[in-house]
């Protein structure tokens, strides 16, 4: 019975985390969309950093 | 994760900025620049007459700004160490920050002896030979609780300030008008740090109330709370991984009969989304005053009351670490 309860709790934890992760990703997507729109309006995008290098490329 | 120890400061660290070059300020009146890959000191920036409280570098690593207890903000040429400009104030400068496009610089000035706390905003020309403006574009003056820290939002839309009384305020980045404020932390518990996420749509605050909060820039909605058992001095958001790093510790004068071991001088890692603590990194002999993440997510650095900077390059297990639900969900 304990084992059953344990696995049930674990399942709850996993489901709660999954919910948090989904919420977070949905919010990030919305943020990124709005930010892109605002940047277009403002006519400014940040310089893109090149991975592993010191150089930056300005668009 | 073997750290590189940067030895060169003689007093406690106040702020670090971590990229391929690492800049550090301390109470010893000196600003240091280091190669973060090997810990070699590139040079120092000399000229301040008091404890340094704050440092920032523009995104192209051309200009460095510093603020100090000698009531000045100084602008430096990173490459040569030449001081390009000094702005004088009636009180100490506790925080400076460039906007993401480096066209603006904000400075937080202290409240003292008949002077209210302010945020000043200067236009910046990212050209080492250009003349810089003498006067600020505008000044925000705090009638109630003074600001201790401040940061720029995306596109310079807002200035976000963190206050001595635990409130967070949002000001218009063009005019300095107050838009809204919230009691983000416990009343009368000082906000000690604000650091923006890479795209500046959200930020993290650290407080003496032992928590850090993740807050949405636009709405000041509190997204996440990270609970610790020690007063916090600094909080940083990692790029690449969904972690946050907190630094703090009981100050020596507050640790009464107990030993230093109980000061809790560790960098604490939390999962940004799940709010769980996932690990700690020891090493400092005093409270951590400042933590900073590399913008590419390759490592982090901490600066302590003990006068040391510890630079950590993340290794493979760090990057591999994932919760089951993160593995299951497609990125």
């Amino acid at each position: 019975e304990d084992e059953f309860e344990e696995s049930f709790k674990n399942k709850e934890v996993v489901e709660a985390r999954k919910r948090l992760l989904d919420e977070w990703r949905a919010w990030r997507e919305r943020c990124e969309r709005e930010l892109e729109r605002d940047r277009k309006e403002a006519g400014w995008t940040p310089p893109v950093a090149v991975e592993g290098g010191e150089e930056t490329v300005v668009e | 994760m073997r750290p590189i120890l940067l030895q060169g400061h003689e007093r406690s660290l106040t702020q670090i900025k971590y990229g391929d070059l690492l800049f550090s300020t301390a109470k010893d009146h000196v600003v240091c620049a280091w190669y973060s890959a090997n810990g070699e000191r590139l040079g120092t920036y000399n000229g301040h007459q008091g404890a340094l409280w704050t440092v920032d570098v523009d995104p192209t690593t051309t200009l460095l700004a510093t603020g100090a207890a000698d009531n000045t903000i100084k602008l430096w040429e990173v490459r040569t160490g030449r001081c390009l400009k000094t702005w004088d104030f009636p009180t100490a400068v506790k925080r400076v920050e460039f906007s993401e496009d480096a066209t603006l610089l904000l400075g937080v000035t202290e409240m003292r002896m008949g002077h209210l706390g302010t945020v000043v905003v200067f236009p910046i020309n990212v050209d080492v030979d250009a003349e810089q403006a003498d006067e600020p574009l505008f000044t925000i003056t705090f009638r109630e609780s003074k600001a201790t820290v401040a940061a720029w939002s995306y596109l310079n839309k807002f200035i976000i300030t963190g206050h001595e009384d635990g409130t967070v305020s949002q000001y218009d980045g063009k005019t300095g008008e107050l838009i809204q404020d919230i009691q983000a932390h416990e009343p009368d518990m000082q906000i000690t740090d604000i650091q923006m996420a890479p795209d500046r749509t959200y930020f993290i605050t650290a407080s003496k109330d032992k928590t850090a909060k993740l807050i949405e820039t636009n709405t000041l909605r509190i997204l996440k709370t990270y609970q610790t058992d020690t007063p916090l001095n600094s909080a940083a958001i990692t790029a690449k991984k969904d972690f946050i790093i907190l630094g703090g510790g009981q100050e020596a004068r507050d640790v009464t009969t107990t030993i230093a071991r109980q000061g809790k001088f560790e960098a604490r890692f939390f999962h940004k989304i799940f709010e769980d603590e996932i690990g700690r990194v020891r090493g400092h002999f005093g409270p951590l005053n400042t933590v900073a993440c590399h913008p590419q997510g390759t490592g982090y650095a901490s600066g302590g009351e003990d006068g040391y900077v510890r630079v950590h390059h993340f290794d493979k297990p760090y990057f591999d670490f994932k919760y089951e639900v993160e593995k299951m969900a497609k990125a």
Side-chain angles (χ1 to χ4, degrees):
Chain A
E1 208 169 289
D2 281 354
E3 219 168 89
F4 176 75
E5 220 162 83
E6 189 72 4
S7 81
F8 185 73
K9 267 188 202 151
N10 283 343
K11 204 168 161 238
E12 275 189 334
V13 169
V14 167
E15 272 169 10
R17 281 187 185 144
K18 193 172 175 318
R19 220 166 32 243
L20 288 173
L21 189 61
D22 289 345
E23 258 172 40
W24 176 266
R25 287 186 174 166
W27 174 71
R28 284 311 303 159
E29 266 176 38
R30 201 171 66 238
C31 269
E32 279 159 18
R33 240 185 357 254
E34 286 171 8
L35 180 63
E36 203 184 312
R37 188 199 61 206
D38 286 357
R39 279 177 178 168
K40 256 188 201 141
E41 262 173 39
W44 185 86
T45 47
V48 180
V50 174
E51 193 122 347
E54 288 184 29
E55 295 296 304
T56 52
V57 181
V58 183
E59 284 185 298
Chain B
M1 218 163 49
R2 199 186 178 78
I4 299 171
L5 199 60
L6 307 185
Q7 304 179 57
H9 283 294
E10 286 167 13
R11 298 278 311 277
S12 50
L13 272 291
T14 52
Q15 197 175 13
I16 50 186
K17 281 294 152 83
Y18 180 24
D20 295 320
L21 291 179
L22 186 148
F23 300 94
S24 59
T25 50
K27 292 183 182 166
D28 58 12
H29 306 194
V30 181
V31 190
C32 289
W34 319 77
Y35 291 105
S36 58
N38 60 11
E40 188 189 334
R41 188 154 73 172
L42 169 68
T44 58
Y45 302 79
N46 303 295
H48 276 294
Q49 304 295 317
L52 266 295
W53 292 119
T54 176
V55 60
D56 197 21
V57 62
D58 88 273
T60 60
T61 321
T62 309
L63 300 177
L64 195 73
T66 52
D70 63 4
N71 304 350
T72 65
I73 293 176
K74 284 180 184 286
L75 198 65
W76 313 83
E77 182 180 10
V78 169
R79 204 172 52 81
T80 62
R82 181 162 62 110
C83 180
L84 303 174
K85 183 77 184 174
T86 300
W87 288 287
D88 286 293
F89 303 94
T91 58
V93 179
K94 299 308 286 279
R95 184 57 72 109
V96 291
E97 194 184 271
F98 287 104
S99 59
E100 62 181 349
D101 61 358
T103 59
L104 299 166
L105 178 75
L106 68 74
V108 176
T109 70
E110 183 70 287
M111 175 178 70
R112 188 154 294 163
M113 292 186 296
H115 294 284
L116 293 168
T118 70
V119 168
V120 289
V121 173
F122 289 95
I124 294 294
N125 191 336
V126 190
D127 173 352
V128 294
D129 297 316
E131 191 74 24
Q132 303 291 341
D134 290 320
E135 296 302 321
L137 286 171
F138 61 88
T139 300
I140 299 167
T141 304
F142 303 107
R143 310 248 157 244
E144 287 164 31
S145 178
K146 69 172 182 188
T148 44
V149 288
W152 287 104
S153 80
Y154 61 94
L155 296 169
N156 316 340
K157 204 168 168 183
F158 309 114
I159 291 170
I160 305 292
T161 55
H163 296 250
E164 199 183 29
D165 65 357
T167 58
V168 168
S169 300
Q170 183 193 53
Y171 289 87
D172 187 303
K174 307 273 186 302
T175 64
E177 263 171 84
L178 177 67
I179 300 169
Q180 58 175 324
D181 45 28
I182 58 158
Q183 187 73 50
H185 287 274
E186 292 290 311
D188 296 320
M189 290 293 204
Q190 189 190 328
I191 295 180
T192 47
D193 198 10
I194 284 186
Q195 293 192 30
M196 284 281 167
D199 72 2
R200 294 179 188 251
T201 58
Y202 63 103
F203 59 89
I204 192 163
T205 55
S207 164
K208 292 289 184 194
D209 74 2
K210 306 184 180 178
T211 67
K213 307 245 178 181
L214 208 67
I215 302 175
E216 187 174 34
T217 304
N218 257 340
T219 60
L220 298 190
R221 181 167 65 100
I222 294 173
L223 302 165
K224 302 286 173 186
T225 299
Y226 310 99
Q227 182 69 51
T228 75
D229 56 1
T230 194
L232 295 176
N233 296 326
S234 191
I237 300 168
T238 62
K240 292 253 160 66
K241 297 294 285 185
D242 285 319
F243 300 150
I244 57 126
I245 305 173
L246 309 180
Q250 211 75 29
E251 281 169 55
R253 63 165 187 270
D254 298 334
V255 180
T256 48
T257 52
T258 47
I259 37 175
R261 204 169 301 145
Q262 290 179 328
K264 309 186 166 94
F265 309 137
E266 296 153 320
R268 292 127 191 275
F269 283 66
F270 279 73
H271 196 283
K272 185 170 69 183
I273 300 166
F274 306 133
E275 303 172 314
D276 298 331
E277 181 169 342
I278 48 180
R280 294 189 186 191
V281 180
R282 295 166 178 279
H284 283 287
F285 298 104
L288 279 69
N289 291 337
T290 172
V291 290
C293 293
H294 193 287
Q296 252 87 64
T298 56
Y300 86 98
S302 55
E305 187 69 21
D306 60 8
Y308 294 110
V309 176
R310 301 175 72 87
V311 182
H312 301 255
H313 295 277
F314 293 136
D315 48 19
K316 195 168 176 302
Y318 167 88
F319 290 105
D320 289 344
F321 178 90
K322 264 192 172 138
Y323 277 63
E324 284 305 315
V325 289
E326 291 179 287
K327 286 181 197 159
M328 290 183 315
K330 53 179 190 288

